[in-house]
Amino acid sequence: MERVIVFDTTLRDGEQAAGGSLNIGEKLEIARQLERLGVDVIEAGFPISSAGDFEAVRLIAREVRTPIICALARAHPDDIDRAWEAIKEAEHPRIHVFLSASDIHRVYQLKKSREEVLETSREMVTRAKRYTDDVEFSPMDASRTEPEYIYQIVEQVIDAGATTVNIPDTVGYAIPDEFGSLIEGIFKNVPNISRAVVSVHCHNDLGLAVANSLESLRRGARQVECTVNGIGERAGNASLEEIVMAIKTRSDVLSLTTNIDTTQIYRASRLVSELTGFVVQPNKAIIGANAFRHESGIHQDGVIKMPITYEIMDPRTVGIPASHLVLGKLSGRHAFKERLAELGYSLSEEDLGRAFSAFKDLADKKKEITDKDIESLVAEELRTISETYHLDRLQVSCGDRGIPTAAVRLIGPDGQVLADAALGTGPVDAMCKAINRLVDVPNVLTEFSVKSVTEGIDAIGEVLIRIESDGVTYTGRGADTDIIVASAKAYINALNRLLAAKKAR
Ligand code: KIV
Ligand code: ZN
């Protein structure tokens, strides 16, 4: 069995998904879970893109010590210097430099000749190499580039010191056999290829990201770039859990292995879904709610008699809990902390204290607190880290006779107390208008949805709000047993993200 290096880019390409931005505390939580999952490389962000991204990469580099911590940089000196600033305290730092290679990108976007691209690639790898030995290079849009030119780039960047060469299917255009041939061609035509690891990075525009990745591994690639739940630009990236479980389940055909502790997959998936707000579709392979559910009588009968009749994997191998233990009013801090650890959270003492007091408040309103309640509650606590505006109080009056009215009190920057009231067509509209009078940022609300976290009339309601400003979408989430309060939290969360992005720009 040969080992495949798992390079996780949930915090970089995954976070690039429209409306998927994470705050610094959320990124650190995910990085810690990725470490428990056993990924070899965490691409923690793109430091030059914003001050927030820089800080998050720096924090992860300091705190997460086992995996390689990688920072992305365009083939530009400032990007490379900034990437190094962010990761220089990592135990194992890596700089990942990329530059477009295809004629389409070169002509319409870069306006550079092939020679210029070759020269810049070499120079920037040499620059990154001054900082660290571990340098990765990606010729962007490789799948739409003439293979001979890719061979040339790969050879030259390896000569300049690249230790990993990553071949991206940037726009998810490739077909497995074609992409596999490109990888095979690299091994056959690049004389110094044995001095680097060949990596692949596939997008899912045609739904082929995992198939393309696996075919490349069959043809010799030994690093695979992927994201938890397959989140990422447009239709997403290759999904980590699908690749890892395909390698494990079909080792008879693939003869490959990974370092992943598969029992951590479910937790990683829940955490990423909870913190990004991207819901996992029920029929999603490996971690969807229906992935191990059998509906037809014949299938149920078979599984009861012998699970392998209709189950190719044991759900326990991906960490799906056999039963959900329930906490309640009498559960103490210790039990709460242990359950958090089981769910993949490792909060600081201060955050734990806040989460525990929110848990106690919830236990007063709700008899049984399930794992999903706890996830929702901790995600709510993490969302409030580094917020500019915080909801202090909200009061609404509504009904079929009255005029919907909302009064809000916010704690603003530097602790100022701000209060106002507004009328609206309903309580949510009135609440948004009252908040808009205090937080004056033009935006349009484009999506509003409410779901209950668990069954029962006392369930927590989770609200997701998307707003748009200057063509960019910001997602906000809020959870509370009162759905109007949850809506206010979600709206403020979206506004805080908008303000943070504006400030970073
Ligand atoms: O899709 C892509 O080409 C990328 C590169 C930065 C590797 O994300
Ligand atoms: Zn990508």
Side-chain angles (χ1 to χ4, degrees), residues 174-184 211-212 215 218-219:
I175 299 291
D177 185 53
E178 171 197 40
F179 197 58
S181 300
L182 174 63
I183 302 302
E184 208 168 276
N212 285 331
E215 185 58 20
R218 268 184 15 87
R219 310 266 195 124

Side-chain angles (χ1 to χ4, degrees), residues 353-367:
R354 289 192 308 152
F356 185 62
S357 99
F359 163 76
K360 281 291 183 188
D361 285 348
L362 181 63
D364 279 338
K365 297 180 191 151
K366 199 170 182 286
K367 203 164 148 250

Side-chain angles (χ1 to χ4, degrees), residues 382-401:
L382 285 172
R383 277 194 286 272
T384 60
I385 294 174
S386 67
E387 58 181 3
T388 314
Y389 290 92
H390 177 75
L391 179 69
D392 186 36
R393 288 197 191 167
L394 169 69
Q395 191 181 326
V396 291
S397 84
C398 59
D400 63 349
R401 298 296 145 99

Side-chain angles (χ1 to χ4, degrees), residues 23 55 114 203 304 380 462 493:
N23 70 28
E55 280 311 325
R114 284 193 174 190
H203 279 268
I304 289 164
E380 181 61 45
E462 263 185 1
N493 182 233

